[in-house]
Amino acid sequence: MNILVCMKQILDPEIPARDFRIDAARKEAERGSADLVANIFCENALETALQFRERSGGGRITVLSYGAASAEDMLRKALAMKADAAALVLNESDAQADPLAVAQILAAAARKLGDFDLILTGRESGDWGAGQTGGLLAEELQRPCVSFVDTVDVTGDKLRLRRQTDSGYEIVEAKPPIVLTITNAEHNVPRIPKVRDVMTAHRQPLTTFTLADLGVTVDPHAYYDVVELAVPRTETQCELVPGDTLDQKVDALARRLVEVTSAL
Amino acid sequence: MSSDVAIVLFGNPATDRAASGLVGAGQQLAQQLGGSLHAIAVDAQTYQPESALTSIETICREMAPRAILLSNDTYSQEITPRLAHRLGGSAAGDAVAITPELRVTRQVYGGKAQAVIQLKRTPAVVWLRSRTFAPSILPLPAPRGEGARSEGEGPRIVERSSEAQGQARLEDARVIVAGGRGIGGPEGFASELQPLALLLGAQLAASRAACDAGWVPPALQVGQTGKKVAPDLYLAIGITGASQHMAGVSEAKQIAAINIDRDAPIFKHCRFGIVEDYRKVVPLLREKLSAMQR
Ligand SMILES: Cc1cc2nc3c(=O)[nH]c(=O)nc-3n(C[C@H](O)[C@H](O)[C@H](O)COP(=O)(O)OP(=O)(O)OC[C@H]3O[C@@H](n4cnc5c(N)ncnc54)[C@H](O)[C@@H]3O)c2cc1C
Ligand SMILES: Nc1ncnc2c1ncn2[C@@H]1O[C@H](COP(=O)(O)O)[C@@H](O)[C@H]1O
């Protein structure tokens, strides 16, 4: 099976709120001292693809990103995790494109890279959290799409997918070609690449395209535009329960909890 | 393009808080736009991704609404961008507000910032964060049903399990006891948090870290990519209070915390708390709560 995993590099989403600043003019987060990392759901998607390849005993995994030159680091790490090939579509402007523009670019790159049976994206990105690229990409390529998948297996000529829902799970049977958006689960926590593989990955080829190479021109804001970005201040004053001993404190806590819950 | 608004209902507004919030939001927007409100009902029990999408698309082409609003359930989230693409519109998700100019307010950067996004194409297809819109039931126009279609070669949902069956929806819980990585393992959830939840008449929830570790099922995850809850009391135990987690509890009336670390960000969000090891606090707390209830 020929598998494409779409990956986005983002500002480390787990930096503490107190270190988070925005650039009001550009309507984006300030880079500050934060690292650039792979969006976690993209790594979950890659891990899901790797496990699928291991279980089904074959297949080729290509990772694809649209982004700045720095995204190469993320793609090389993906190679170290044992993706077979990597491609970067260089974003030569420094503007954030909307999800439709991104989907159109990824669709053009996917067509150029080959015929994919399975295209995996993350459920959403940890910066803007649009949660749209997978669905839009499916429409661009006129493929069906299943969201929030956490396991991909094969039975006969069909894929057997498990996806998360509000109340539990669903099993979905599907035929490739298909687009899946991947969510996190206990079993698709991304693996840590071996040091040796990290070294090798640095020497592996990496395909780079410009938009001109792909023959696409997109309007980065035809779909939507960010008009305001602000950091809301919502700190509350926390009262630590009084008491000198553990017993006294827990007693105060118990009273407080009963007070709140019995008023319901 | 009319000034009408369509809502896509997967639940019953008479019994479901998210659906009634959707009706309320739809009424308000339709009134602001000076159009009328239409409802499209989809049976969640027989939902299949491709056929539901095609049916809703067909109905929407006929109705030509300016805005289509959906709720925050799995199916609505799955459909939203694809429906927008098919109708030549623009989509946004997790909206906490939408204006007649089709500007959507939503949290971004894992809850650390809030953005206003101008949708450029119509129809606007938007799924809403539940609870942030005033609920309403009546008068709702008779919904158009989503007709059954054959799946053809498309994906088919062949099994629907629900781990949370019998349990009330986390979104509707009035008291929640939530555990994080600090709980240390599944035993802590089973032998400490579950009994505590029982004593408080609470439902159990968790952080992503606890779900990813496999200590509790993913349906219990609260946060940006989990459930958005709105209890009167949210007791966070062994949870740091990362912005992505707090994004799921922004509608909670009161947050309390048990955490070993005084500097954990959770203490910037809670009304009261205790800085101690939960393994010392919770057993004692259960004793005291039982004694107080007797
Ligand atoms: C795109 C994206 C989406 C995300 N979505 C979500 C989401 O929906 N929900 C979510 O929860 N997270 C989400 N996260 C992850 C989030 O950023 C945090 O990593 C996660 O919430 C941390 O979980 P935690 O607080 O349980 O674990 P930790 O950060 O490890 O914190 C454990 C806490 O337990 C305390 N502790 C340890 N031992 C004890 C003890 N014995 N007694 C008391 N306290 C103790 C520690 O002091 C610490 O504060 C998301 C992240 C990304 C990037
Ligand atoms: N610039 C990008 N390059 C590659 N993949 C992307 C890009 N942006 C989004 N994606 C994919 O789409 C998923 C959802 O992103 P989003 O719609 O932005 O929330 C991500 O997890 C990626 O798999």
Side-chain angles (χ1 to χ4, degrees):
Chain A
M1 225 171 278
N2 204 8
I3 307 171
L4 182 70
V5 180
C6 300
M7 302 187 71
K8 183 181 182 189
Q9 190 184 46
I10 62 172
L11 207 65
D12 183 358
E14 303 216 24
I15 58 162
R18 62 170 184 276
D19 296 338
F20 180 82
R21 307 264 183 293
I22 52 172
D23 181 330
R26 294 171 46 87
K27 299 192 187 72
E28 270 182 36
E30 260 178 28
R31 168 81 195 267
S33 56
D35 290 330
L36 295 173
V37 299
N39 175 36
I40 180 68
F41 296 111
C42 300
E43 290 199 315
N44 293 136
L46 176 58
E47 180 61 36
T48 304
L50 292 166
Q51 290 181 16
F52 174 74
R53 189 182 62 186
E54 284 156 13
R55 272 199 308 272
S56 63
R60 181 181 158 81
I61 300 172
T62 304
V63 287
L64 167 67
S65 187
Y66 168 61
S70 60
E72 186 179 329
D73 297 343
M74 169 187 74
L75 294 174
R76 294 220 178 266
K77 184 179 171 202
L79 289 170
M81 287 165 78
K82 292 291 177 201
D84 299 287
L88 172 63
V89 182
L90 256 185
N91 179 359
E92 291 157 306
S93 79
D94 54 47
Q96 281 267 349
D98 68 34
L100 181 62
V102 173
Q104 287 166 342
I105 293 163
L106 295 177
R111 284 193 202 100
K112 182 118 183 164
L113 286 166
D115 244 341
F116 293 101
D117 306 298
L118 262 183
I119 299 184
L120 270 45
T121 73
R123 64 176 285 170
E124 69 182 60
S125 44
D127 50 2
W128 286 89
Q132 297 204 40
T133 308
L136 294 173
L137 180 58
E139 291 302 313
E140 285 292 323
L141 297 170
Q142 302 200 334
R143 303 268 174 93
C145 178
V146 179
S147 300
F148 310 118
V149 171
D150 70 18
T151 314
V152 183
D153 267 314
V154 236
T155 43
D157 64 339
K158 285 201 191 108
L159 294 168
R160 198 176 158 80
L161 315 169
R162 192 180 78 158
R163 65 111 152 238
Q164 295 179 15
T165 64
D166 301 311
S167 56
Y169 296 107
E170 284 173 0
I171 304 296
V172 185
E173 285 182 354
K175 280 200 175 143
I178 192 167
V179 176
L180 308 175
T181 83
I182 304 293
T183 193
N184 62 299
E186 178 190 356
H187 51 267
N188 67 10
V189 177
R191 64 193 62 189
I192 311 285
K194 296 198 190 79
V195 176
R196 181 166 41 88
D197 294 334
V198 174
M199 313 283 274
T200 331
H202 273 284
R203 295 189 301 270
Q204 273 170 273
L206 190 140
T207 312
T208 305
F209 301 117
T210 61
L211 291 182
D213 294 336
L214 295 176
V216 286
T217 39
V218 293
D219 176 347
H221 302 294
Y223 190 69
Y224 67 47
D225 215 353
V226 179
V227 290
E228 279 171 41
L229 183 67
V231 177
R233 284 276 157 247
T234 52
E235 285 187 12
T236 26
Q237 204 53 44
C238 176
E239 182 193 323
L240 294 181
V241 290
D244 296 325
T245 63
L246 179 71
D247 192 80
Q248 286 172 353
K249 287 196 269 186
V250 176
D251 203 67
L253 180 66
R255 280 173 205 291
R256 196 76 194 260
L257 290 172
V258 166
E259 203 180 292
V260 180
T261 52
S262 61
L264 299 181
Chain B
M1 185 82 39
S2 70
S3 330
D4 291 358
V5 175
I7 55 174
V8 180
L9 290 165
F10 284 96
N12 178 354
T15 52
D16 181 335
R17 176 62 175 73
S20 64
L22 183 56
V23 175
Q27 283 173 342
Q28 192 189 341
L29 186 61
Q31 194 191 9
Q32 289 167 335
L33 286 170
S36 39
L37 178 68
H38 306 272
I40 301 167
V42 187
D43 179 6
Q45 261 73 52
T46 58
Y47 170 90
Q48 296 289 353
E50 302 305 313
S51 59
L53 177 62
T54 306
S55 303
I56 297 168
E57 177 197 350
T58 309
I59 297 174
C60 288
R61 280 190 192 286
E62 235 177 81
M63 272 181 192
R66 178 171 293 269
I68 302 164
L69 304 181
L70 300 95
S71 198
N72 73 339
D73 54 278
T74 307
Y75 300 155
S76 296
Q77 293 190 30
E78 174 165 70
I79 279 179
T80 295
R82 298 184 70 195
L83 185 61
H85 192 285
R86 291 193 181 186
L87 298 171
S90 293
D94 204 18
V96 296
I98 175 166
T99 70
E101 297 77 33
L102 307 181
R103 290 186 167 198
V104 165
T105 305
R106 63 191 304 272
Q107 287 189 339
V108 293
Y109 289 108
K112 294 188 186 86
Q114 194 166 55
V116 179
I117 289 168
Q118 174 71 60
L119 301 182
K120 295 270 194 73
R121 317 194 306 181
T122 52
V125 186
V126 178
W127 65 266
L128 310 174
R129 182 175 281 209
S130 64
R131 290 275 177 183
T132 32
F133 296 87
S136 171
I137 304 177
L138 290 167
L140 179 68
R144 289 271 310 259
E146 170 253 324
R149 277 167 194 262
S150 94
E151 291 320 301
E153 293 284 280
R156 267 203 85 72
I157 299 169
V158 294
E159 220 179 288
R160 298 169 204 259
S161 88
S162 106
E163 295 183 333
Q165 212 149 46
Q167 206 187 334
R169 282 158 38 93
L170 207 49
E171 288 91 334
D172 298 331
R174 306 197 64 182
V175 184
I176 291 176
V177 169
R181 199 187 329 253
I183 300 306
E187 318 77 37
F189 274 92
S191 63
E192 294 297 339
L193 267 56
Q194 187 72 68
L196 176 64
L198 221 55
L199 279 168
L200 289 169
Q203 275 183 252
L204 201 61
S207 72
R208 171 169 168 163
C211 295
D212 275 2
W215 302 344
V216 291
L220 295 195
Q221 182 177 319
V222 164
Q224 180 193 345
T225 48
K227 301 273 154 66
K228 311 287 192 304
V229 299
D232 293 297
L233 174 68
Y234 188 85
L235 176 56
I237 309 178
I239 291 180
T240 300
S243 65
Q244 291 89 357
H245 185 78
M246 302 320 287
V249 290
S250 57
E251 304 291 316
K253 288 220 183 76
Q254 280 203 51
I255 299 171
I258 303 174
N259 198 299
I260 207 164
D261 176 10
R262 175 67 184 97
D263 296 326
I266 188 76
F267 289 115
K268 294 216 159 64
H269 297 275
C270 65
R271 200 75 69 78
F272 58 100
I274 181 168
V275 182
E276 282 288 352
D277 187 335
Y278 94 93
R279 285 167 298 191
K280 291 195 210 140
V281 175
V282 174
L284 197 55
L285 182 60
R286 281 166 46 208
E287 247 174 59
K288 291 188 186 284
L289 288 170
S290 318
M292 285 162 84
Q293 284 178 2
R294 251 182 261 123

